Every structure is written in structure tokens, then in C-alpha cells.
């Protein structure tokens, strides 16, 4: 079923998201909500972010280890999501350095 999910706003399919690892627009979050929830659950152990977070640098080290493990297991969809999460976290850390 997930291959037939389509964002009515930008026209991106869930299959395209799986290939690129990038969502087409903000409406994709709602269009693909059920599948994204499943992916988040697998990556983070929850469907949502917890309020209490570890320090960002510790989270970055943990995510990089998870990324290496995903690549080793050839879990490329998971690796792409982790890579993007790491990139966002690093951008946030760099923004605080300025």
C-alpha cells in the first residue's frame, strides 16, 4: 500500500520519498503520516520526540554510530533517514556557534 501513497499538494509518491529520503513539501508529512510513523518508530523507538533530550553532542555521536550500523546491515532507507537527521542536528549545533 505504501507505494501508492501520494501527496495531494506536490504529487510526490511515498516510493519517491523512499528512493530520495527527502519529502517534497510540508504536506507530505500528513500524506505519508502512517508510513513515517512506522519509520520513526523503528529509528527512534517512538512515534514522536521526547521532551527530555540528551545533550546534542551525545545525540550526534549516538546517531553516527546508528548510521554506521545501518550501512553495515545494508539498511539504506534507515541510513538515509539517519544521515538527514545528523545533518539537521549539525546545522543546529553550528547555528549556536555563530
Amino acid at each position: 500500500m505504501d507505494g501508492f501513497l501520494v501527496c495531494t499538494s506536490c504529487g510526490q509518491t511515498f516510493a519517491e520519498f523512499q528512493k530520495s529520503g527527502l519529502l517534497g513539501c510540508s504536506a507530505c508529512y500528513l500524506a505519508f503520516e502512517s508510513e513515517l510513523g512506522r519509520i520513526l518508530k523503528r529509528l527512534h523507538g517512538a512515534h514522536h520526540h521526547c521532551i527530555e533530550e540528551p545533550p546534542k553532542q551525545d545525540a550526534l555521536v549516538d546517531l553516527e554510530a546508528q548510521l554506521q550500523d545501518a550501512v553495515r546491515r545494508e539498511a539504506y532507507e534507515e541510513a538515509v533517514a539517519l544521515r538527514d537527521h545528523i545533518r539537521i542536528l549539525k546545522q543546529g549545533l553550528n547555528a549556536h556557534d555563530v
Side-chain angles (χ1 to χ4, degrees):
M1 176 177 159
D2 59 8
F4 296 104
L5 293 176
V6 178
C7 176
T8 56
S9 181
C10 71
Q12 181 176 17
T13 66
F14 187 74
E16 291 169 332
F17 160 71
Q18 288 179 300
K19 288 179 186 174
S20 70
L22 301 172
L23 295 171
C25 70
S26 60
C28 288
Y29 287 95
L30 292 176
F32 307 143
E33 182 176 19
S34 62
E35 293 301 313
L36 292 174
R38 182 181 55 79
I39 292 169
L40 287 173
K41 174 82 170 153
R42 188 176 67 234
L43 291 174
H44 302 291
H47 289 102
H48 58 280
H49 291 286
C50 298
I51 293 174
E52 187 175 321
E53 296 181 13
K56 287 186 179 182
Q57 194 63 41
D58 291 343
L60 184 59
V61 170
D62 184 50
L63 287 170
E64 288 173 340
Q66 289 179 41
L67 174 59
Q68 290 175 358
D69 181 59
V71 170
R72 182 187 53 75
R73 292 182 286 112
E74 297 181 5
Y76 299 117
E77 180 182 326
E78 183 179 341
V80 166
L82 287 164
R83 178 204 64 199
D84 292 344
H85 193 100
I86 289 167
R87 185 177 296 149
I88 291 167
L89 186 60
K90 283 183 176 180
Q91 287 172 348
L93 288 172
N94 291 339
H96 291 297
D97 292 341
V98 175

